[in-house]
Amino acid sequence: MDLERLIYLEEDTLSEEFCQSCIEKFNRDPNRYQGVTGQGVVMDMKQSTDLSISTVPGWEREDKILYKSLAKALDKYTEFIPAEYRDHVLNPQTK
């Protein structure tokens, strides 16, 4: 499978102002935590500061905007996937 044919890029879907506002809000939010993997904190694998905005009060507006943007891009991605890969990508349990 030529994986490069499955990479889709959607540019400029969020405004610069919205992104800057999210960054500033994230940096101020006391609910941030050390990023974890399925095996817990593994610094060799993941070094990040996380915040689950879908579950943190005060992030409802941003969560809704990000969700809508992602949903639109996913719709476009399903059309972008080459036909010979579509079933495998959209239904990975299919052999």
Side-chain angles (χ1 to χ4, degrees), residues 49-87:
T49 301
D50 293 355
L51 177 67
S52 299
I53 67 167
S54 295
T55 61
V56 176
W59 284 89
E60 295 85 2
R61 176 182 162 273
E62 293 85 356
D63 188 48
K64 186 174 185 176
I65 290 169
L66 291 168
Y67 178 83
K68 284 184 177 183
S69 178
L70 178 60
K72 282 183 187 179
L74 284 173
D75 284 344
K76 291 178 182 178
Y77 180 68
T78 59
E79 297 301 318
F80 166 83
I81 300 169
E84 66 267 25
Y85 300 132
R86 197 164 286 146
D87 192 51

Side-chain angles (χ1 to χ4, degrees), residues 1 84-95:
M1 181 182 296
E84 66 267 25
Y85 300 132
R86 197 164 286 146
D87 192 51
H88 180 74
V89 171
L90 300 177
N91 304 301
Q93 288 76 23
T94 306
K95 299 287 180 193

Side-chain angles (χ1 to χ4, degrees), residues 21-62:
S21 172
C22 286
I23 291 167
E24 291 169 5
K25 189 172 182 176
F26 174 88
N27 286 333
R28 291 189 312 267
D29 197 302
N31 296 297
R32 294 176 296 141
Y33 55 92
Q34 176 63 52
V36 296
T37 69
Q39 294 137 355
V41 175
V42 182
M43 296 302 284
D44 291 340
M45 188 180 303
K46 181 178 181 183
Q47 295 181 21
S48 68
T49 301
D50 293 355
L51 177 67
S52 299
I53 67 167
S54 295
T55 61
V56 176
W59 284 89
E60 295 85 2
R61 176 182 162 273
E62 293 85 356

